[in-house]
Amino acid sequence: MKWIRKALKGISLTAAMFVFQACYGTMNDYYETSVTIHVVDDNGDPLEGVGIYAQELNPGDSSVLSDYQDLVEYTDSNGLALWWTYGSLQRLTFADKDSLYAPVETIVQTDEADTINVVLEKIR
């Protein structure tokens, strides 16, 4: 009788694990990395409050995968921002909220921790 009880416990545990994996899937094979972004003006002074917008691109041909850009972060008083990404190909746009500086766009592929330095030029 004990072996039947143990067998039923094993079957129940296996069934529960199968249901859990079917509902939630297996772990992803990618990891999140942090990227430090440093934004300065054309004099080298840090810019506070610059919005950083990200748009995911197709790695094969750099076509846009989403029609909108996500605001990912604002720079602090030192012109620094920390951005967490999964290493996919992204188009980043940097724009200040008062439109005093010309927006800058760049395409980045970040697979490991990195630093991106951006210089915004004042609109004259």
Side-chain angles (χ1 to χ4, degrees):
M1 215 47 175
K2 283 187 176 184
W3 66 273
I4 293 175
R5 189 174 294 163
K6 287 182 181 181
L8 288 175
K9 284 182 184 178
I11 292 171
S12 299
L13 179 62
T14 304
M17 289 173 57
F18 176 76
V19 169
F20 181 77
Q21 183 179 356
C23 290
Y24 298 104
T26 58
M27 290 180 49
N28 295 327
D29 60 347
Y30 54 87
Y31 57 94
E32 202 171 39
T33 58
S34 65
V35 176
T36 302
I37 299 172
H38 188 216
V39 181
V40 297
D41 64 9
D42 44 2
N43 294 328
D45 298 324
L47 292 175
E48 181 179 5
V50 173
I52 302 165
Y53 302 86
Q55 187 173 32
E56 191 171 359
L57 302 177
N58 184 354
D61 59 3
S62 297
S63 62
V64 176
L65 289 179
S66 62
D67 292 335
Y68 60 92
Q69 290 185 326
D70 292 326
L71 174 66
V72 292
E73 194 62 59
Y74 285 107
T75 56
D76 64 11
S77 59
N78 296 320
L80 296 172
L82 189 63
W83 173 47
W84 289 91
T85 180
Y86 290 109
S88 60
L89 188 64
Q90 302 270 332
R91 175 186 295 144
L92 295 181
T93 304
F94 304 89
D96 67 314
K97 55 187 166 195
D98 298 327
S99 300
L100 299 174
Y101 296 89
V104 172
E105 283 189 358
T106 186
I107 295 177
V108 295
Q109 172 79 45
T110 54
D111 293 329
E112 56 189 49
D114 203 0
T115 300
I116 299 172
N117 296 306
V118 178
V119 177
L120 297 182
E121 293 184 10
K122 200 164 206 169
I123 299 173
R124 305 199 196 285

